[in-house]
Amino acid sequence: MTKRNPDYDFKWCPGCGDFGVVRAFEIALADRAERLNEPIENTVVVAGIGCSGNLVHLQDGPQPFGIHGIHGRSLPIAFGVKAGRPELNVVVVAGDGDFLSIGGEHIGPQARRNLDITAVVMDNGIYGLTKGQASPTSLVGQVTTTTPAGKLDEPVNPLELYLASGVPHITSAISSRPKDVAAFIGAAMDFRGFSIVHIKSPCTYFNDTYAALKGDPKRGVEPVAYPLPDDHDATDYMAALEHARHGRVPVGELYRKPDGVPMQDRLRAASERSMVKERGVDEMLAVLVV
Ligand SMILES: Cc1ncc(C[n+]2csc(CCOP(=O)(O)OP(=O)(O)O)c2C)c(N)n1
Ligand SMILES: [Mg+2]
């Protein structure tokens, strides 16, 4: 519960990785507002359903607009907002279940369209809000409430999926570094085109992966997460694919397609070419009034 939304009675569990993400998002929004001299209300947050989506209610400070949509449909809603109001900064916040399971089919079409929005995906490898069912990123053999004898199917590799789907800007992160995550979200919002910041954000209650992500150097346990090397060339698709595929969690800007044309540019050009005259909101409403 925040001071801004005292009526909203929702709490994240102590230690939830999403706290790092909400802090990062607050920093990124404040920084953007200052840098571009843009009111925070110019940003619209479209939230998926899940603990992660509740981020939209748990922000402190000046509030962006928020739409808490329906499970899995954050991208189509964001598409509608951006198509209607291209000047707005549209950000999706969603979980691994929301974005990659029920919502998974929307990634490819929006990537091909190059929808100019940023998706912040909080991947805890579980359905957190509904109390611990297996998600697309839960590991094979993982015991969850829906897989009591261990999950049978292989997990999806989100970074590989985004690359194969043609997402032109992909960043991989971990929630325990909010300042880094803030910089990643800021750069993703600046990118003209479809941008995904995929953040490993542990669920302390149903899938606590903090130890694995950070490792335990004293006991010789290598961290799963590692920073992308300084010489990583984000415009090199094959280099990005290699980092996506080797089973660990790279941290940093993984891929950037430099010459993509965002949906807005194509839409504007098509509208100029078409014979249909663009109508303002007043004109459209006037048609409905008898
Ligand atoms: C159409 C529909 N199906 C199922 C649900 C139930 N449901 C709510 S949240 C959720 C899973 C959320 O998992 P995830 O997206 O990983 O978010 P998390 O809670 O882990 O952050 C499900 C299955 C729903 N609300 N609507
Ligand atoms: Mg989840």
Side-chain angles (χ1 to χ4, degrees), residues 11-72:
K11 293 180 185 73
W12 281 335
C13 304
C16 176
D18 295 354
F19 282 114
V21 182
V22 74
R23 185 68 204 116
F25 190 43
E26 286 161 0
I27 297 170
L29 279 186
D31 174 69
R32 180 185 168 91
E34 199 180 309
R35 255 187 317 116
L36 305 183
N37 194 21
E38 175 191 277
I40 287 208
E41 304 85 67
N42 201 57
T43 292
V44 178
V45 183
V46 179
I49 303 294
C51 296
S52 38
N54 283 302
L55 180 149
V56 69
H57 305 283
L58 296 174
Q59 268 175 268
D60 272 325
Q63 302 285 295
F65 277 97
I67 299 178
H68 207 158
I70 48 174
H71 193 37

Side-chain angles (χ1 to χ4, degrees), residues 18 49-52 71 95-99 102 124 126-130:
D18 295 354
I49 303 294
C51 296
S52 38
H71 193 37
D96 45 317
D98 192 283
F99 201 75
I102 184 171
N124 54 12
I126 204 86
Y127 286 2
L129 186 74
T130 43

Side-chain angles (χ1 to χ4, degrees), residues 48-49 52 71-75 92 94-108 119-127 134-138 151 155-163 165 167 194 196-200:
I49 303 294
S52 38
H71 193 37
R73 309 299 168 215
S74 53
L75 282 177
V92 159
D96 45 317
D98 192 283
F99 201 75
L100 296 164
S101 186
I102 184 171
E105 78 234 47
H106 298 297
I107 299 169
V120 175
V121 182
M122 283 156 269
D123 178 3
N124 54 12
I126 204 86
Y127 286 2
S135 91
T137 54
S138 305
K151 191 183 170 207
V156 68
N157 179 332
L159 300 177
E160 203 179 339
L161 175 79
Y162 303 151
L163 282 165
S165 305
V167 177
F194 190 19
I196 298 181
V197 183
H198 190 90
I199 307 167
K200 291 284 182 190

Side-chain angles (χ1 to χ4, degrees), residues 247-272:
R248 292 173 67 199
V249 176
V251 175
E253 186 186 57
L254 182 72
Y255 182 62
R256 171 186 287 263
K257 187 178 173 196
D259 49 3
V261 181
M263 181 192 76
Q264 294 316 318
D265 293 2
R266 297 177 203 204
L267 207 54
R268 200 175 313 113
S271 138
E272 277 162 14

